[in-house]
Amino acid sequence: MIDKYGLGDAGEELEARWTRIDDRWSLRDLAAWFNKRLLRNAMSEAGMNSVEEEIDNLYRLLTDDEVSGASRIQIERRLERAGLEPDELQRDFVSYQAIRTYLLKYRNAERVKDDRDQREKVAERVQKLAGRTATVTESQLEQLQAGGDLDVGPFRTMVDVRIYCEDCNTQYTVDELLEEGGCDCAAGTA
């Protein structure tokens, strides 16, 4: 499929996303990424312009079992008008098992064990979630503001995740709690 759809560096990118220590991708996520890239290239070759959000939606409409038949037919007809064969595209979409086989047998890729401390991993995950929460919140508020449904001046979004221990009535940021290895209750029983 890499050759058929002109996805040149997709193999290297799949391997990098699967084997890296930070922000590793699952095989399912890699399959979806690959299939969307395949769809984008096929549409581009057919002269169809698209943005990333549209590719995400088209892929969902073509593959999600929850999509109504009418919606799927509408997308298939649109692709057909551009000269694409929707059935062939869907047959060419790869499964996560195909990605796994490709990475292990054809690229000889190996996942390196993540030796970081569990606390570091948790801190990183929480930090990423907080960042994502801030981004989504900001985006939603900007949409409301642009539509005239929210009146607010220039703003920043801040997300502060805190842990409150009900036993000892102390409060910590995630980083503080992880650095300390516990709260005041735990220190008193040690």
Side-chain angles (χ1 to χ4, degrees):
M1 294 306 131
I2 290 173
D3 292 338
K4 180 176 179 179
Y5 288 93
L7 301 176
D9 65 344
E12 292 87 19
E13 188 67 26
L14 286 168
E15 183 176 349
R17 291 175 186 226
W18 190 62
T19 59
R20 64 188 176 202
I21 296 291
D22 293 325
D23 194 26
R24 285 185 179 174
W25 285 34
S26 71
L27 292 169
R28 289 184 196 283
D29 289 340
L30 290 171
W33 173 84
F34 183 87
N35 291 336
K36 289 174 190 177
R37 191 158 169 200
L38 181 154
L39 179 60
R40 182 180 345 137
N41 277 26
M43 290 173 63
S44 178
E45 288 292 317
M48 296 175 73
N49 294 325
S50 60
V51 294
E52 198 64 35
E53 292 79 21
E54 182 182 24
I55 294 294
D56 290 344
N57 189 45
L58 289 173
Y59 179 70
R60 183 187 62 79
L61 291 170
L62 288 170
T63 60
D64 190 339
D65 293 335
E66 302 294 318
V67 171
S68 72
S71 295
R72 184 166 286 135
I73 288 170
Q74 183 180 13
I75 294 307
E76 289 174 350
R77 291 213 171 109
R78 180 178 164 204
L79 293 170
E80 287 169 349
R81 284 192 300 275
L84 294 171
E85 293 292 329
D87 291 338
E88 182 181 353
L89 275 173
Q90 289 171 311
R91 279 192 306 272
D92 288 346
F93 288 156
V94 299
S95 66
Y96 76 91
Q97 294 100 332
I99 295 290
R100 183 179 188 280
T101 299
Y102 172 75
L103 289 169
L104 293 174
K105 293 191 177 179
Y106 294 94
R107 295 200 61 89
N108 296 316
E110 292 181 28
R111 287 186 101 165
V112 177
K113 187 174 184 295
D114 187 351
D115 289 332
R116 290 178 301 163
D117 178 84
Q118 286 299 321
R119 291 182 199 175
E120 289 177 51
K121 293 176 193 176
V122 167
E124 182 180 313
R125 278 189 227 118
V126 170
Q127 183 180 26
K128 285 180 182 178
L129 285 170
R132 177 77 177 130
T133 299
T135 300
V136 170
T137 301
E138 217 166 87
S139 171
Q140 294 297 305
L141 294 176
E142 286 170 352
Q143 285 180 11
L144 288 172
Q145 187 179 32
D149 296 318
L150 179 67
D151 187 19
V152 64
F155 66 91
R156 289 185 302 163
T157 305
M158 295 175 281
V159 176
D160 183 27
V161 180
R162 297 193 154 277
I163 312 305
Y164 175 76
C165 178
E166 294 177 352
D167 286 342
C168 63
N169 294 321
T170 54
Q171 175 170 241
Y172 300 89
T173 66
V174 173
D175 288 338
E176 289 169 343
L177 184 65
L178 294 173
E179 282 177 27
E180 293 292 322
C183 66
D184 285 346
C185 305
T189 59

